[in-house]
């Protein structure tokens, strides 16, 4: 059998590319990583994702896939070892539901708190409300996936890094142990798992990068 070709087009500071890296590592899939320069997108990225022209893109045996959650589901189906989605159909649908909720209800508010000028507290309050709702999916479990890391953990886990960056740069509160004890404990555990921790970029580099990014979004000099 010919050797499989797996390539990931990503960007070092993208939480969505990080999701895919986590999935590949947890599944034990060997892959080639291609770092993209987003202001000057490569012909490879434009060829493999001509619709959205965004990362991440997974290329498996020459066939490209875009959108991080769809890529993770594909990885889970293409490589059967170490399943990420639950076997039970209801639990599988529930994991997808909460991942969609996170992307549609939590991420925009978190990004709104980061990118806005003058509305940070209002956006952060809405983000906290939605993150508190997400916390329900953790009740009685160490991970969203149960006793081990699963699909939803991978989908949501980056909030423990980028959320704290938003808090520091924008001066808002998103996640705290008093109001979200389960989510806080989960993040502390999840981010210390060796295979997860090994993929996370340097905190200092992420912080400096996002300080500059926020300046470009808000026109702020602070």
């Amino acid at each position: 059998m010919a050797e499989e070709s797996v390539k990931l087009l990503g960007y070092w500071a993208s939480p969505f590319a990080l999701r895919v890296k986590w999935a590949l590592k947890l599944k034990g899939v060997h892959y080639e990583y291609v770092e993209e320069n987003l202001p000057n997108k490569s012909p490879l990225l434009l060829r493999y994702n001509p619709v959205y022209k965004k990362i991440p893109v997974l290329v498996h045996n020459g066939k490209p896939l875009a959108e991080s959650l769809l890529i993770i589901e594909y990885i889970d189906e293409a490589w059967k070892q170490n399943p990420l989605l639950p076997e039970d159909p209801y639990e599988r649908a529930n994991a997808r539901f909460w991942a969609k909720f996170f992307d549609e209800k939590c991420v925009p508010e978190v990004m709104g708190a980061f990118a806005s000028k003058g509305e940070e507290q209002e956006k952060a309050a809405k983000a906290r409300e939605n993150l508190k709702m997400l916390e329900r999916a953790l009740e009685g479990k160490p991970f969203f996936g149960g006793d081990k890391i699963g699909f939803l953990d991978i989908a949501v886990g980056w909030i423990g890094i980028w959320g704290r960056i938003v808090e520091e740069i924008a001066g808002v509160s998103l996640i705290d142990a008093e109001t979200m004890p389960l989510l806080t404990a989960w993040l502390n555990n999840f981010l210390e798992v060796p295979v997860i921790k090994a993929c996370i970029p340097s905190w200092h580099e992420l912080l400096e990068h996002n300080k500059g990014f926020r300046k470009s979004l808000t026109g702020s000099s602070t």
Side-chain angles (χ1 to χ4, degrees):
M1 182 181 293
E3 186 177 344
E4 285 189 306
S5 169
V6 183
K7 185 178 298 186
L8 173 62
L9 279 62
Y11 180 63
W12 74 273
S14 166
F16 304 104
L18 181 61
R19 280 174 167 173
V20 180
K21 289 180 183 178
W22 280 339
L24 289 166
K25 290 292 187 180
L26 286 165
K27 297 289 279 187
V29 178
H30 296 287
Y31 67 97
E32 175 190 352
Y33 177 71
V34 179
E35 176 74 7
E36 281 291 327
N37 178 3
L38 296 186
N40 185 24
K41 296 172 183 176
S42 72
L44 198 63
L45 176 59
L46 299 177
R47 172 156 62 97
Y48 283 137
N49 190 4
V51 177
Y52 292 113
K53 303 177 176 63
K54 295 192 298 187
I55 54 93
V57 177
L58 183 79
V59 186
H60 183 203
N61 292 333
K63 297 177 181 178
L65 283 165
E67 300 299 300
S68 61
L69 291 181
L70 296 178
I71 292 172
I72 295 168
E73 288 204 47
Y74 174 82
I75 290 169
D76 202 32
E77 292 181 14
W79 292 275
K80 301 300 183 184
Q81 70 273 18
N82 307 324
L84 301 173
L85 278 160
E87 185 177 349
D88 178 77
Y90 175 78
E91 294 298 331
R92 193 160 59 242
N94 210 32
R96 289 175 175 135
F97 168 84
W98 284 114
K100 183 177 172 66
F101 173 84
F102 177 73
D103 274 10
E104 293 184 354
K105 297 295 184 180
C106 300
V107 174
E109 301 299 341
V110 170
M111 292 307 299
F114 177 74
S116 64
K117 197 174 179 182
E119 298 180 357
E120 296 95 334
Q121 297 298 336
E122 179 185 343
K123 296 285 188 182
K126 187 62 179 176
R128 284 196 301 273
E129 179 183 327
N130 291 337
L131 287 166
K132 182 65 179 174
M133 197 170 295
L134 173 70
E135 190 181 45
R136 296 178 186 177
L138 260 177
E139 291 178 0
K141 300 181 291 186
F143 296 105
F144 284 108
D147 292 330
K148 64 184 183 72
I149 291 172
F151 173 79
L152 187 54
D153 298 280
I154 294 170
V156 176
W158 62 263
I159 195 65
I161 309 152
W162 275 262
R164 288 165 185 164
I165 283 174
V166 172
E167 289 179 332
E168 180 156 338
I169 295 175
V172 299
S173 174
L174 293 174
I175 302 170
D176 65 85
E178 184 177 347
T179 60
M180 297 177 219
L182 297 180
L183 199 62
T184 301
W186 164 74
L187 280 171
N188 291 338
N189 290 332
F190 174 78
L191 295 175
E192 286 301 317
V193 173
V195 70
I196 298 299
K197 191 173 183 177
C199 297
I200 299 172
S202 153
W203 167 263
H204 176 73
E205 290 177 357
L206 274 178
L207 186 62
E208 292 306 308
H209 169 79
N210 282 286
K211 282 179 180 178
F213 184 39
R214 187 168 191 257
K215 280 183 186 180
S216 70
L217 293 174
T218 64
S220 172
S221 59
T222 58

